[in-house]
Amino acid sequence: MKNIRRIAAGMLAAAAVLTPVAAYADTPYAQASAEVDMDGSLIDGSHITDVWHPYRGVYCVSVDESVDFTGPTAIHVTPIGEYSAPRSLSVELNPPSACGEHRLDTIAVYSQVGFKVRGDSAFYLSVS
């Protein structure tokens, strides 16, 4: 039993050490990627034309014409940083109103602290 605990503790420690490295990894097979600060500014990005922050907890990311949403597309978002409360992030492709009326090149990112309580957060976004 002690060996299992030691192995589990070692695996958790390895995961904690390796996680930041994976978060900063390039996304060579992604169609687009972005690192967005909690104020809505673009820190780094590829195939991103604009990022704006219209409301608390709402971010809009516009991609260029090279990104193809007609086929199967995976959109992944990961929070960055430490916060006093956990963050829940979700995405919406072609948002109906938050980022402009049905913009076909835009992804809305929603950040929540609790049930229906919006909260700002920095995040990584990738479109594959």
Side-chain angles (χ1 to χ4, degrees), residues 8 54 93 98:
L93 184 59

Side-chain angles (χ1 to χ4, degrees), residues 11-122:
M11 291 174 66
L12 285 173
V17 170
L18 295 176
T19 298
V21 174
Y24 291 111
D26 290 332
T27 53
Y29 301 108
Q31 294 186 62
S33 62
E35 180 180 355
V36 179
D37 202 1
M38 61 188 313
D39 66 356
S41 60
L42 180 66
I43 297 170
D44 191 20
S46 173
H47 300 286
I48 304 296
T49 57
D50 196 12
V51 177
W52 65 100
H53 182 42
Y55 312 107
R56 181 178 182 177
V58 178
Y59 300 86
C60 302
V61 181
S62 181
V63 298
D64 67 20
E65 66 278 350
S66 69
V67 179
D68 181 20
F69 290 124
T70 58
T73 305
I75 302 172
H76 181 77
V77 63
T78 306
I80 303 171
E82 296 181 20
Y83 303 98
S84 59
R87 296 293 197 258
S88 169
L89 298 176
S90 61
V91 297
E92 181 179 19
L93 184 59
N94 308 327
S97 62
C99 300
E101 194 62 31
H102 291 290
R103 292 184 54 162
L104 300 177
D105 64 343
T106 304
I107 301 164
V109 177
Y110 302 102
S111 173
Q112 293 184 330
V113 176
F115 181 70
K116 293 188 178 183
V117 177
R118 292 182 182 159
D120 293 337
S121 64

